[in-house]
């Protein structure tokens, strides 16, 4: 059930604070399973935070990020009720998306 | 210089330093990746499965068919329909068999995630059910003779020394404020420690990226104890859980926890 994102966005003074928790195994490709077979790499490569249709953060991730990664971002502007989205794609072509409104 | 160093040493209680894990907990605040697993568990509960195509909604967890709120906090308990004391994990396997018609040799074959897995159905169900008891007082049933016998057996095993190192559970869990390397060791004979420990499982293990259940925790302690593997759902496992739950009784369920 990878692909889910729990996301919260809260207005704090001038800034909007976004917290996003993503459901993803983030397999490095370096581990072996109980049978000794290697577990294929499976990790998020690109993640972005959008305020409306404007990208306010973009990052390239790799195998060093933990399973079920947690992302915290603050950006300027944003009003209560505005939409904030977090989207990612992974190395296997999977995607995830979560949306919330600023509180 | 020496005195200063000693004072510094004294200033840190044995349990204070989990280093990066404390830092992770601080950064996470109230967030726990277990919330995904809670949702997944709830979905499994309402999902039609097995030859009977039934959901688990009619499963009796001790408070009546389908009652999930507060049920976890009263396990392990005696069930007349099986004439056994059961923990929540074996009760769920029982419901999968009786309600959904699923073969227990399949459903109980791999209860816990292995390396590379991303959670099992049982782990998810137990996590959701524990969340359904969050804030509830730990109150395992001890009215039935078999429940009291289970506690007595658990106590006996807890103190029973065996294996290549002659370890018992008590070897590592009978004293307060001790640790092995950086891992704090709860004193499971003490009510407060037992309540904190028992009430915080199932828990998200940061080092594994998975939620683990109390059944898994015991298997891992058997390994640390250099004892033969603990069979899932065995009387020994349920007895030890009963022993801990009763010592924890009166404490509050806080699970799912967030562990190193």
């Amino acid at each position: 059930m990878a692909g889910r994102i729990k996301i919260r966005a809260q207005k704090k003074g001038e800034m909007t604070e976004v917290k996003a928790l993503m459901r993803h195994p983030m397999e490095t490709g370096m581990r072996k399973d109980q049978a000794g077979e290697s577990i294929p790499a499976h990790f998020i490569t690109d993640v972005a935070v959008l305020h409306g249709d404007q990208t306010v953060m973009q990052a390239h991730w790799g195998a060093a990020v933990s399973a079920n990664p947690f992302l915290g971002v603050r950006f300027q502007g944003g009003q209560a009720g505005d939409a904030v989205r977090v989207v990612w794609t992974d190395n296997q072509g999977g995607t995830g998306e979560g949306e919330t409104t600023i509180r | 210089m020496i005195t200063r160093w000693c004072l510094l040493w004294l200033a840190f209680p044995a349990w204070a330093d989990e280093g990066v894990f404390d830092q992770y907990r601080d950064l996470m605040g109230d967030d726990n990746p277990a919330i995904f697993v809670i949702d997944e568990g709830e979905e499994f509960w309402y999902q039609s499965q097995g030859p009977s195509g039934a959901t688990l909604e009619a499963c009796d967890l001790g408070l009546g068919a389908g009652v999930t709120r507060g049920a976890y906090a009263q396990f392990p308990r005696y069930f007349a329909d099986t004439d056994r004391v059961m923990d929540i994990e074996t009760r769920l396997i029982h419901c999968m068999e009786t309600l959904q018609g699923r073969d227990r040799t399949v459903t109980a074959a791999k209860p816990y995630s292995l390396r590379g897995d991303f959670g099992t159905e049982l782990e998810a169900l137990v996590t959701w059910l524990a969340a359904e008891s969050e804030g509830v007082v730990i109150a395992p049933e001890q009215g039935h003779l078999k429940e009291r016998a289970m506690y007595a057996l658990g106590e006996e095993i807890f103190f029973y020394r065996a294996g290549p190192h002659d370890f018992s559970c008590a070897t590592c869990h009978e004293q307060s404020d001790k640790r092995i390397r950086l891992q704090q060791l709860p004193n499971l004979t003490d009510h407060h420690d037992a309540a904190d420990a028992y009430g915080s499982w199932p828990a998200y293990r940061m080092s594994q990226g998975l939620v683990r259940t109390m059944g898994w925790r015991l298997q891992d302690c058997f390994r640390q104890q250099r004892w033969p593997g603990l069979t899932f759902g065995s009387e020994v496992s349920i007895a030890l859980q009963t022993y801990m739950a009763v010592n924890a009784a009166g404490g509050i369920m806080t699970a799912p926890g967030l562990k190193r």
Side-chain angles (χ1 to χ4, degrees):
Chain A
M1 279 166 238
R4 297 181 180 188
I5 305 181
K6 298 269 184 191
I7 161 169
R8 285 185 307 191
Q10 201 172 7
K11 186 101 174 121
K12 287 197 170 162
E14 295 287 282
M15 309 296 278
T16 298
E17 190 175 78
V18 182
K19 287 182 170 178
L21 189 55
M22 298 164 223
R23 183 77 169 134
H24 202 285
M26 299 301 285
E27 277 296 343
T28 62
M30 309 295 276
R31 295 204 305 163
K32 292 196 160 101
D33 67 16
Q34 240 82 0
E37 301 294 324
S38 86
I39 304 167
H42 188 199
F43 53 82
I44 294 173
T45 51
D46 294 278
V47 55
V49 177
L50 293 96
H51 170 218
D53 10 304
Q54 194 193 350
T55 303
V56 291
M57 190 226 69
Q58 204 167 13
H60 298 302
W61 278 1
V65 176
S66 80
N68 300 318
F70 184 66
L71 173 73
V73 175
R74 277 149 35 101
F75 67 87
Q76 201 137 34
Q79 298 302 325
D82 289 0
V84 169
R85 277 195 305 147
V86 175
V87 295
W88 57 252
T89 50
D90 69 25
N91 68 322
Q92 295 186 0
T95 57
E97 181 167 339
E99 183 168 335
T100 190
T101 48
I102 300 175
R103 276 189 295 123
Chain B
M1 188 64 205
I2 286 178
T3 12
R4 234 169 77 196
W5 193 86
C6 284
L7 277 174
L8 258 180
W9 180 251
L10 284 172
F12 292 100
W15 42 266
D17 185 17
E18 273 207 298
V20 292
F21 298 110
D22 281 340
Q23 223 176 328
Y24 178 94
R25 260 187 289 256
D26 280 349
L27 286 169
M28 292 297 283
D30 291 333
D31 289 291
N32 182 340
I35 54 174
F36 293 116
V37 185
I38 294 172
D39 287 355
E40 288 158 16
E42 184 174 13
E43 285 161 17
F44 277 125
W45 183 261
Y46 293 107
Q47 187 180 322
S48 303
Q49 291 199 76
S52 323
T55 70
L56 289 173
E57 283 167 276
C59 182
D60 181 0
L61 296 170
L63 301 179
V67 180
T68 55
R69 181 86 195 133
Y72 186 107
Q74 296 190 15
F75 273 92
R77 65 187 301 154
Y78 173 81
F79 287 89
D81 55 4
T82 55
D83 191 28
R84 282 183 59 198
V85 177
M86 303 172 99
D87 65 352
I88 195 160
E89 300 180 20
T90 44
R91 188 65 188 172
L92 284 166
I93 298 288
H94 170 80
C95 286
M96 289 174 191
E97 186 171 43
T98 53
L99 298 174
Q100 300 180 319
R102 295 162 74 189
D103 186 347
R104 71 166 53 226
T105 57
V106 177
T107 50
K110 202 177 84 168
Y112 312 128
S113 294
L114 301 176
R115 211 175 318 134
D117 293 332
F118 204 39
T120 65
E121 179 184 355
L122 193 73
E123 285 165 344
L125 282 166
V126 172
T127 307
W128 173 60
L129 289 166
E132 286 282 286
S133 277
E134 199 176 343
V136 172
V137 175
I138 301 166
E141 281 295 328
Q142 281 286 287
H144 195 277
L145 213 68
K146 288 198 173 178
E147 288 165 341
R148 290 199 293 277
M150 220 25 141
Y151 177 85
L153 179 64
E155 182 174 37
E156 194 177 335
I157 299 164
F158 191 87
F159 291 98
Y160 188 82
R161 289 170 60 170
H165 292 344
D166 209 23
F167 279 159
S168 65
C169 306
T171 311
C172 295
H173 293 300
E174 196 192 13
Q175 289 170 278
S176 299
D177 296 327
K178 296 283 181 206
R179 65 184 194 193
I180 291 180
R181 293 177 299 180
L182 284 178
Q183 273 73 68
Q184 177 204 351
L185 292 170
N187 177 356
L188 296 171
T189 65
D190 169 78
H191 167 69
H192 286 286
D193 271 18
D196 282 352
Y198 186 83
S200 60
W201 287 83
Y204 184 79
R205 286 288 300 246
M206 307 169 213
S207 52
Q208 300 178 337
L210 290 166
V211 170
R212 294 304 199 174
T213 67
M214 185 51 92
W216 175 89
R217 179 64 263 172
L218 291 182
Q219 286 193 344
D220 201 52
C221 274
F222 260 54
R223 183 186 59 76
Q224 302 199 82
Q225 199 166 331
R226 317 303 197 266
W227 277 19
L230 175 64
T231 303
F232 167 78
S234 62
E235 199 174 29
V236 173
S237 174
I238 295 167
L240 283 167
Q241 290 180 68
T242 306
Y243 174 71
M244 292 189 293
V246 171
N247 291 351
I252 301 291
M253 286 298 304
T254 58
L258 191 56
K259 310 260 171 185
R260 69 162 189 102

